[in-house]
Amino acid sequence: MTTTSTPTVSPEGTRASPRRWPRVVAAGVVTALAVLTTVPDRLGGLDRWTPFAQIVAFRPYVVVVVGLLGLVALVATVFRRRFWPFAAGLLVVAVAGAALVVPRLVPDPPPPAGAPTLTVLAFNVYEGRADPAAVAAAIRAERPDLVALPEAGARYAGRIEALVGPLGYRAQASTSPRVRDVDGVTVLVAPRLGAVDITIGDDMTVPDLQVSGGALGAVRFVAVHPRSPRLSRADEWRDDVARLATWCAGPAPTVVAGDLNATLDHSVLREATRGCGDAAVRRGQGLTPTWGPWGRTLGPQIDHVLATAGIEAESVRFLTLPGSDHRAVLARLALPTGPQSSSTGSASTP
């Protein structure tokens, strides 16, 4: 009697074996988790809610971690082909995430030489704890035209004005001395800007300051500090950041500076600032951290100097000053020239 044997299909063959399905499912779960942590803003604005609002702020670092895990899985496929679904999924997510952050390292062409300029300093003084003497020394050395100091109320404004007042700087806080420094914003105005008007806005949770007139001409300057995206304040954070569109979408040439508590990886910030450019990004420094729990060397870029079309970033530097968990952003901006903006030439010249 002739017997026949039934052919078998190896686990690594073309037909999926029962033992392969758990690996495929596991790879799908790992890839889905990578997607959720890397690009939640592309999933229907999931980044507007906790914990994704916090996670997406660290996207550059998440991309690196996901990419390294993908490379490890890829190397593992040399010894075990079963790891290829993990490698493929993780590497695809890493490449997609990198495509969103790497362009911020590519600078724009420099603005034309000879344009009038405006130098802006933005520095979160951390509940009024930053060393006023160090801040005054930076102002004395850099001579910015305008300084935005989030978390500086009337008390801190008085301390810093006592140090830079002899240089001719005028200080204005958005809150009264009865309010904590953390709930205020202070603006310092250089004497060369002349008789400017400073108004206090109440559209945000923390009152903003708007500077206009004088040698600024048609240009308007706004110092802001949206709330942070904590669980109990997520609604306030979204509303505050969304209100930036008031200035970025407006007709007047405008500079917005401060601790925005958001990065360009947050969809709410991108939508609110469609009419503005980020000075750090324009100069190819859009991934430089300005705040971080690890000594400001690793962290998100949440402090920004934004400007509407026609105002270009000539240079951007980041200063580390004692007493704060933030870095200061020092931006030199080239202002538009023309009949409506000719008066801005007296602000500062190269």
Side-chain angles (χ1 to χ4, degrees), residues 74-144:
L74 184 63
V75 171
T77 61
V78 176
F79 308 97
R80 291 287 189 274
R81 289 185 58 195
R82 66 185 65 178
F83 288 107
W84 74 262
F86 296 90
L90 291 171
L91 290 175
V92 167
V93 174
V95 169
L100 298 174
V101 299
V102 169
R104 296 178 216 162
L105 298 174
V106 181
D108 289 349
T117 62
L118 187 74
T119 302
V120 173
L121 178 69
F123 179 48
N124 183 317
V125 299
Y126 186 39
E127 301 177 357
R129 300 182 188 182
D131 184 1
V135 176
I139 292 172
R140 191 176 299 112
E142 305 296 343
R143 297 299 175 97

Side-chain angles (χ1 to χ4, degrees), residues 176-315:
S176 72
R178 297 187 301 274
V179 179
R180 300 177 305 167
D181 279 318
V182 69
D183 294 319
V185 175
T186 289
V187 157
L188 299 174
V189 182
R192 57 181 163 267
L193 292 185
V196 299
D197 296 320
I198 303 178
T199 58
I200 300 175
D202 57 2
D203 288 338
M204 289 188 173
T205 308
V206 175
D208 59 80
L209 288 170
Q210 303 171 32
V211 184
S212 60
L216 284 173
V219 177
R220 174 179 52 183
F221 177 79
V222 187
V224 297
H225 187 208
R227 285 294 190 189
S228 60
R230 297 177 182 176
L231 180 59
S232 60
R233 292 177 171 175
D235 291 342
E236 291 180 355
W237 170 71
R238 289 191 295 269
D239 291 343
D240 281 353
V241 175
R243 288 190 176 97
L244 296 174
T246 302
W247 302 292
C248 284
T254 302
V255 176
V256 180
D259 172 10
L260 305 187
N261 272 314
T263 74
L264 291 177
D265 291 306
H266 287 101
S267 59
V268 63
L269 181 63
R270 292 196 305 270
E271 293 170 6
T273 60
R274 283 176 179 168
C276 284
D278 186 285
V281 173
R282 293 285 175 86
R283 299 285 21 106
Q285 299 184 61
L287 299 183
T288 302
T290 62
W291 173 85
W294 304 285
R296 295 164 292 185
T297 56
L298 291 175
Q301 187 177 98
I302 61 175
D303 302 86
H304 303 266
V305 174
L306 308 174
T308 53
I311 302 176
E312 303 294 337
E314 187 176 286
S315 66

Side-chain angles (χ1 to χ4, degrees), residues 46-103:
L46 192 61
D47 63 304
R48 297 170 182 263
W49 287 271
T50 300
F52 300 103
Q54 291 77 18
I55 294 173
V56 78
F58 292 87
R59 174 147 65 199
Y61 305 99
V62 174
V63 167
V64 172
V65 172
V66 171
L68 289 175
L69 291 175
L71 290 175
V72 169
L74 184 63
V75 171
T77 61
V78 176
F79 308 97
R80 291 287 189 274
R81 289 185 58 195
R82 66 185 65 178
F83 288 107
W84 74 262
F86 296 90
L90 291 171
L91 290 175
V92 167
V93 174
V95 169
L100 298 174
V101 299
V102 169

Side-chain angles (χ1 to χ4, degrees), residues 298-332:
L298 291 175
Q301 187 177 98
I302 61 175
D303 302 86
H304 303 266
V305 174
L306 308 174
T308 53
I311 302 176
E312 303 294 337
E314 187 176 286
S315 66
V316 173
R317 292 166 49 208
F318 300 89
L319 311 178
T320 301
L321 303 176
S324 176
D325 55 353
H326 288 252
R327 283 177 175 168
V329 183
L330 181 69
R332 187 178 176 89

